[in-house]
Amino acid sequence: MLNAIQADITTLKVDAIVNAANSSLLGGGGVDGAIHRAAGSELLAECKILGGCPTGEAKLTKGYKLPAKFVIHTVGPVWLGGNHNEAGLLENCYTNSLKLALEHRIKTIAFPSISTGVYGYPINEAAHIAIQTCQKKLNELQSDIEITFCCFSKHDLEVYQSLLNKGIC
Ligand code: ADP
């Protein structure tokens, strides 16, 4: 099941929230900074032993002080105009995050709008990939995992909702 809400992802009581991290996994701005602040310093300590994460891949940690049990850290592509496999890499973020979620028997997961902040990915295209990739993966795995797209702005929520209502997948 897929749905979209407007919220601060650090407040969500789900099995796992996804972090739009950078490849060092050592924290940053945007949603990454918010997650590290809310989870506390133990999250950074666990991230330090993971040895970074290549773009498109995902790694799991505990959620520490967050209401979420786990954090899945994935690294989105930087938007370079669209001809540098940005779409394929963004798709990998969603696929690899869901793979990890399934391995850890996660039933509820929330994604931020990966790459659409500092990394500059256009929101319409990014939301399309997010929804289509997640729907495809759920169908493929016949999984009943509940996926929430956690939008930070009202505009992002409108984009996600209109795509979900159109049933683009
Ligand atoms: P990226 O580097 O992948 O672009 P950003 O953190 O800059 O990552 O932005 C990704 C998305 O996360 C943007 O839509 C941004 O508005 C959103 N965002 C920032 N803070 C939060 C938060 N606390 N909860 C949910 N989404 C957030």
Side-chain angles (χ1 to χ4, degrees):
M1 203 194 80
L2 306 182
N3 69 93
I5 60 168
Q6 184 182 1
D8 174 348
I9 203 165
T10 63
T11 65
L12 300 183
K13 198 172 177 338
V14 285
D15 293 340
I17 62 171
V18 176
N19 181 16
N22 60 53
S23 56
S24 75
L25 296 186
L26 299 180
V31 71
D32 194 7
I35 288 172
H36 275 274
R37 277 193 300 277
S41 58
E42 281 170 302
L43 177 61
L44 183 59
E46 186 176 355
C47 282
K48 276 184 180 158
I49 57 176
L50 295 177
C53 181
T55 304
E57 293 187 16
K59 294 195 176 175
L60 180 136
T61 64
K62 289 191 271 185
Y64 299 99
K65 290 184 181 144
L66 289 163
K69 199 164 163 202
F70 297 106
V71 181
I72 294 175
H73 306 262
T74 188
V75 182
V78 176
W79 177 257
L80 296 170
N83 292 318
H84 294 79
N85 193 29
E86 292 95 329
L89 291 167
L90 187 59
E91 204 176 307
N92 291 348
C93 289
Y94 288 95
T95 307
N96 288 324
S97 297
L98 287 178
K99 244 191 238 164
L100 267 183
L102 268 125
E103 279 165 25
H104 289 81
R105 296 198 172 76
I106 283 160
K107 289 285 174 204
T108 53
I109 183 169
F111 284 95
S113 190
I114 300 166
S115 281
T116 67
V118 171
Y119 282 3
Y121 210 116
I123 180 68
N124 287 287
E125 285 89 329
H128 199 284
I129 289 170
I131 294 170
Q132 204 166 42
T133 307
C134 288
Q135 188 62 63
K136 194 172 133 205
K137 202 76 199 155
L138 289 192
N139 293 346
E140 211 175 278
L141 302 165
Q142 300 199 327
S143 163
D144 58 356
I145 194 167
E146 198 181 307
I147 299 176
T148 299
F149 297 108
C150 179
C151 302
F152 208 42
S153 73
K154 187 163 172 273
H155 175 255
D156 288 355
L157 178 64
E158 284 164 1
V159 171
Y160 272 84
Q161 268 175 345
S162 93
L163 291 170
L164 287 167
N165 291 340
K166 275 192 220 150
I168 58 146
C169 7

